Amino acid sequence: MLPKAFALVKLLFSSHHLLTFPRESVSKPLLVFTTATYSTKSPTQVERVEVVDHPKNSIDVLRKWGCTDDDISKIIVRRPSLRRANIAHLQSKLNMLSSLGIGAHDLVKMINCRPRLLSCRINHCFDERLEFFMTLFESREVLAKAIVRNPSLLTYDFNNRIKPAIALYQEMGVSRKDLIPMLLSRPTMIPRTSFDEEKMEYIRKTGISKDSKMYKYVVTIIGISRHETISQKVGNFEKFGFSNDEIFNLFGRSPLMLTLSVDKVQRNMTFILGMMKLPASVVLKYPFLLYSSLETVLKPRVLLAGKIDDMGLDSQIKGPTMLRALRMTEKRFLKAFVKCHPEDVADELLEFYKCAKGIKRLAEASKKNIRVGFPF
């Protein structure tokens, strides 16, 4: 009887022990389970998994994303604070860029243009933004190209800036097909676009129809230009005797004329009138005279024409031939007017031509052109 009672007391004590200390009872099987889970893996394998899942810092994240040490160096130079970036946030943003087909080489270009890109909330309205752009560009490749050209497409206010700007151009009669190359060629088009009655009057003055191939250029260039800039460029042409109608008609036929600086137009016009002895109206028929480089095309070729004339050679560059010569490619020009002569004469002309091209503007050598960000 006593052994049975002792056995009963032992059983009750064991049950009480399990109820009173549940953690100890549960924890032991859990440890056994955990050990069993990893018992088939060596310590080396476990360590390797931990390194992959938990990068040490933002540099490690960029490196694992595909950036070379040179890429990382360029990125950090433009945005030093990325060294202290939150690893999870950085990884998330890089994954978004990967989903768009953007790689490490593209990222370097984007950070160079927009250093704060990875510090911005590019995940804000990302899905809605992506859906809108895919409808517009109809291709992930073209969309990626547009974003690399202008990374701010990921940061512009989607509802208050991007959608209204696109809708505005469509209301102006610029089709989606025509809008895509404009967005690629002029990345700042979205934030700088504005239209009012005065700009609408400028467009009407050009006399261009919506069916013209030049219409999209006229609308977008006037749309992104400030009133002061347009007035300044129109006034510059008026100084050379052009009427208001002639100027806007020229803009309608050659819209990129509005992108030329006042200084370039002044220098080319001065050379055309002073050195070439041509009337100002010649640029209305031959706009390329204002687009051509004064230092590498107009001046050296006109000087060479004078040299050929002084030497009394047969292939003269005068009248209509001069205008054709100025439009030729370098290779074709040399073949037509230099290499056609005997070797000794051709060598002399070629040396003269090279010297003429080497003449720089006053203080040109001391200029420092340091371009950071977009060249627009």
Side-chain angles (χ1 to χ4, degrees):
M1 196 62 191
L2 182 61
K4 291 184 179 181
F6 181 80
L8 179 61
V9 170
K10 186 177 180 180
L11 178 61
L12 291 173
F13 178 78
S14 300
S15 302
H16 177 73
H17 178 73
L18 289 173
L19 292 172
T20 308
F21 303 98
R23 291 184 181 178
E24 187 177 350
S25 305
V26 175
S27 62
K28 288 182 179 179
L30 182 60
L31 288 172
V32 172
F33 175 77
T34 304
T35 305
T37 302
Y38 292 98
S39 62
T40 58
K41 298 183 180 181
S42 67
T44 306
Q45 290 176 315
V46 173
E47 185 179 354
R48 189 184 303 120
V49 172
E50 289 179 356
V51 172
V52 173
D53 291 341
H54 304 286
K56 298 177 181 178
N57 49 45
S58 58
I59 303 300
D60 199 20
V61 172
L62 289 170
R63 187 176 289 113
K64 293 182 185 302
W65 191 68
C67 294
T68 64
D69 290 341
D70 185 51
D71 293 336
I72 294 173
S73 176
K74 292 177 181 177
I75 291 172
I76 296 300
V77 166
R78 290 293 287 142
R79 187 64 174 171
S81 63
L82 280 177
R83 288 182 179 274
R84 304 182 301 275
N86 181 283
I87 295 176
H89 292 172
L90 179 60
Q91 184 68 64
S92 175
K93 292 172 183 177
L94 292 176
N95 289 340
M96 288 181 183
L97 296 180
S98 296
S99 69
L100 296 172
I102 294 173
H105 183 65
D106 295 326
L107 180 64
V108 175
K109 296 179 183 178
M110 294 165 68
I111 296 298
N112 185 57
C113 297
R114 292 290 184 270
R116 298 185 66 254
L117 177 66
L118 293 178
S119 301
C120 298
R121 297 173 58 194
I122 63 175
N123 57 334
H124 184 61
C125 296
F126 181 79
D127 293 334
E128 187 180 359
R129 191 186 303 259
L130 179 60
E131 182 181 358
F132 178 82
F133 282 138
M134 283 301 295
T135 303
L136 177 64
F137 292 103
E138 292 188 338
S139 165
R140 195 170 288 267
E141 291 74 18
V142 178
L143 172 57
K145 184 178 179 180
I147 291 174
V148 172
R149 289 277 290 165
N150 183 13
S152 293
L153 289 175
L154 296 174
T155 61
Y156 291 145
D157 189 308
F158 178 63
N159 292 306
N160 297 323
R161 176 163 286 184
I162 294 178
K163 293 177 72 174
I166 299 299
L168 194 56
Y169 281 107
Q170 291 176 338
E171 289 175 8
M172 294 288 295
V174 180
S175 66
R176 182 197 58 78
K177 181 180 178 181
D178 289 336
L179 195 57
I180 292 174
M182 296 297 98
L183 287 168
L184 292 174
S185 63
R186 305 201 172 277
T188 57
M189 200 170 87
I190 288 177
R192 292 175 56 182
T193 293
S194 67
F195 287 103
D196 55 19
E197 189 55 40
E198 188 174 358
K199 285 191 175 183
M200 296 300 293
E201 181 61 25
Y202 289 151
I203 295 173
R204 284 192 288 268
K205 283 183 178 181
T206 63
I208 195 166
S209 67
K210 292 184 178 181
D211 298 329
S212 172
K213 292 182 178 179
M214 294 292 106
Y215 180 75
K216 58 180 178 290
Y217 296 100
V218 171
V219 173
T220 54
I221 292 175
I222 290 179
I224 65 176
S225 299
R226 295 181 299 173
H227 292 290
E228 298 80 2
T229 302
I230 298 174
S231 299
Q232 189 180 22
K233 293 182 177 182
V234 170
N236 188 42
F237 277 99
E238 289 175 341
K239 292 178 182 178
F240 294 98
F242 296 104
S243 67
N244 199 267
D245 290 340
E246 287 176 328
I247 295 169
F248 279 98
N249 184 262
L250 176 62
F251 291 162
R253 290 184 293 108
S254 186
L256 295 180
M257 196 68 67
L258 266 170
T259 66
L260 299 179
S261 68
V262 170
D263 178 63
K264 178 173 177 59
V265 172
Q266 285 181 345
R267 290 189 296 112
N268 281 32
M269 285 298 299
T270 301
F271 185 81
I272 292 167
L273 298 174
M275 291 292 293
M276 298 179 67
K277 307 299 181 183
L278 296 174
S281 59
V282 72
V283 301
L284 298 177
K285 187 175 181 180
Y286 302 102
F288 78 89
L289 290 170
L290 295 181
Y291 292 118
S292 299
S293 170
L294 179 60
E295 288 76 19
T296 61
V297 178
L298 296 183
K299 186 180 290 185
R301 294 188 185 186
V302 170
L303 292 177
L304 183 66
K307 177 70 173 178
I308 292 174
D309 187 40
D310 293 341
M311 295 175 68
L313 301 175
D314 294 334
S315 56
Q316 299 289 319
I317 308 177
K318 293 181 178 180
T321 305
M322 172 66 78
L323 295 174
R324 289 199 300 272
L326 294 175
R327 298 189 71 170
M328 291 180 179
T329 62
E330 185 81 348
K331 183 178 179 180
R332 185 183 175 192
F333 173 78
L334 293 175
K335 181 179 179 181
F337 299 105
V338 175
K339 295 181 180 179
C340 60
H341 298 290
E343 186 176 354
D344 56 336
V345 177
D347 290 342
E348 182 180 352
L349 291 175
L350 187 59
E351 185 64 26
F352 177 85
Y353 182 67
K354 289 180 178 179
C355 291
K357 290 187 72 174
I359 299 175
K360 295 185 179 294
R361 294 174 58 193
L362 185 63
E364 182 73 14
S366 63
K367 290 177 65 178
K368 294 182 180 179
N369 294 323
I370 302 175
R371 179 174 292 166
V372 177
F374 278 128
F376 306 106

